[in-house]
Amino acid sequence: MSTDAPQRPMEDALARLATVIESRLPAHGGDPEKSYVARLLHRGPDAFLKKIGEEATEVVMAAKDADHGGERMKIVNEVADLWFHSMVALAHYGFSPRDVVAELERREGTSGIEEKALRKAKDREASND
């Protein structure tokens, strides 16, 4: 999961937030009466997955509004909400932002078209087994 490479400032902020979110996991004593994150985690995947869907929709709406003169900063605010709730999901499933960064680094320099074609080929192989 983690690497020996030094973290960059953005990763530091994500790592700090991930630590707080992880501390709210039920297994770590997160109290749903005192913490929004603990409440989401206590309610289970349906609760935080619903929030991810809502926040993704709000990102789209903010971007569409910005295209028509709306407040552009709202895009950043909504993406922050989307990332936050996605981090709750990552913690629930035992992952961290570092895992996502590692995957992005793995993909670096790979054509998105090639990456998608490779994933489709792997999915076809798996379904034929």
Side-chain angles (χ1 to χ4, degrees):
M1 183 166 90
S2 64
T3 67
D4 293 332
Q7 291 185 333
R8 294 172 285 275
M10 180 178 71
E11 290 179 55
D12 289 344
L14 292 174
R16 286 191 306 273
L17 178 55
T19 298
V20 170
I21 291 170
E22 188 172 319
S23 76
R24 303 305 198 264
L25 287 164
H28 296 145
D31 184 350
E33 298 298 319
K34 296 180 180 176
S35 164
Y36 170 74
V37 171
R39 190 174 315 132
L40 275 177
L41 290 165
H42 178 76
R43 290 174 51 209
D46 285 349
F48 56 78
L49 296 174
K50 179 180 177 185
K51 285 301 294 181
I52 290 170
E54 290 171 5
E55 298 303 342
T57 299
E58 290 174 11
V59 169
V60 171
M61 291 171 26
K64 295 293 246 171
D65 288 347
D67 285 339
H68 299 283
E71 176 56 46
R72 294 180 65 228
M73 190 63 192
K74 191 163 184 190
I75 298 168
V76 172
N77 295 335
E78 297 302 344
V79 169
D81 290 345
L82 176 59
W83 284 15
F84 174 82
H85 289 91
S86 295
M87 288 175 65
V88 171
L90 286 171
H92 173 80
Y93 293 108
F95 296 106
S96 75
R98 182 70 207 133
D99 296 308
V100 176
V101 170
E103 176 60 14
L104 291 171
E105 288 172 342
R106 185 192 68 76
R107 295 179 186 185
E108 189 173 2
T110 303
S111 160
I113 294 169
E114 291 172 11
E115 174 73 19
K116 186 173 183 178
L118 181 61
R119 275 187 275 137
K120 281 185 176 181
K122 285 181 180 178
D123 289 346
R124 277 194 300 272
E125 281 180 25
S127 68
N128 290 332
D129 290 342

